Structures are given as C-alpha cells and as structure tokens.
Amino acid sequence: MTKKICWAAAIYPILGLLGGLYYRELTKAEHFAGDTQLSIVHTRLLALGTLVFLIVLVLDKVFTLSATRSFAPFFWVYHAGMLVHGTLTVLGRESGAAIAGIRKPADAKA
C-alpha cells in the first residue's frame, strides 16, 4: 500500500491541473456563474491531495495506517464527494445531505 500512497502523492498535482480544466470547461459549457464547491477542486487536489498523502505516507511508516480496514475506503473516496457535489451544483441538481456533508447551503441563514 505504501507504493499506492507514493503514487497518489505524485498523481494529485496532475489531477489538480485536470480538475481546474474540468471546472473551467464545465462552467463555461453550462453558462454557470454561481458559487460551487467545484471551483476549489483545483486547489484542494493540488495542495491538500499532495500534502495530505505525503503526510499519510509518513504516518503509514510510523503507524502502519494502511494495515487498517478503514484505510482503503479513505484512500479511494478522499475527494470523490467534493467532485460529485460540485458537479451537481453546476448542473443545477440538488444534492442530498450525504453528498453535501456538513457544508451549509448557500441560502441557509447563519
């Protein structure tokens, strides 16, 4: 699993660039000008994806995190929710609480 973590840390910068391209092209094609979580996929993939998996690599060496049962779901689902939620927002579809997570809707009062 350590090799997979290394590859993830190396691939996330590429995914970050592709995420920025995806956001730009999808919003342009849909003529979308509102706020969406999809706009931060680029930054999160570049910074958090790479940095988190470099930190996870160190933690895996110290605590063997990859040996736990919950590591594989964490590894594969890390950014999928943000991508799905942002895409649904741009396409004008509602997303449920499971996809939205703990983020408040834009029209909710603080």
Side-chain angles (χ1 to χ4, degrees):
M1 190 56 117
T2 302
K3 267 190 173 177
K4 284 185 182 181
I5 299 170
C6 288
W7 276 106
I11 290 173
Y12 264 103
I14 297 164
L15 292 177
L17 296 174
L18 292 174
L21 181 67
Y22 175 73
Y23 163 70
R24 186 187 73 192
E25 294 303 318
L26 182 65
T27 54
K28 191 186 319 180
E30 294 293 322
H31 305 291
F32 184 83
D35 291 330
T36 173
Q37 260 190 318
L38 194 57
S39 66
I40 60 173
V41 166
H42 170 72
T43 307
R44 290 218 175 157
L45 287 173
L46 281 174
L48 291 178
T50 304
L51 293 175
V52 164
F53 280 105
L54 287 173
I55 292 168
V56 166
L57 184 63
V58 171
L59 292 174
D60 187 45
K61 287 291 188 184
V62 175
F63 300 111
T64 56
L65 295 177
S66 59
T68 64
R69 278 182 62 161
S70 60
F71 186 78
F74 158 76
F75 184 83
W76 295 111
V77 181
Y78 183 69
H79 280 289
M82 181 176 43
L83 183 66
V84 169
H85 185 248
T87 301
L88 289 174
T89 303
V90 171
L91 296 176
R93 298 190 183 133
E94 288 291 321
S95 59
I99 293 175
I102 59 171
R103 186 172 183 253
K104 289 183 183 179
D107 59 346
K109 294 182 180 182

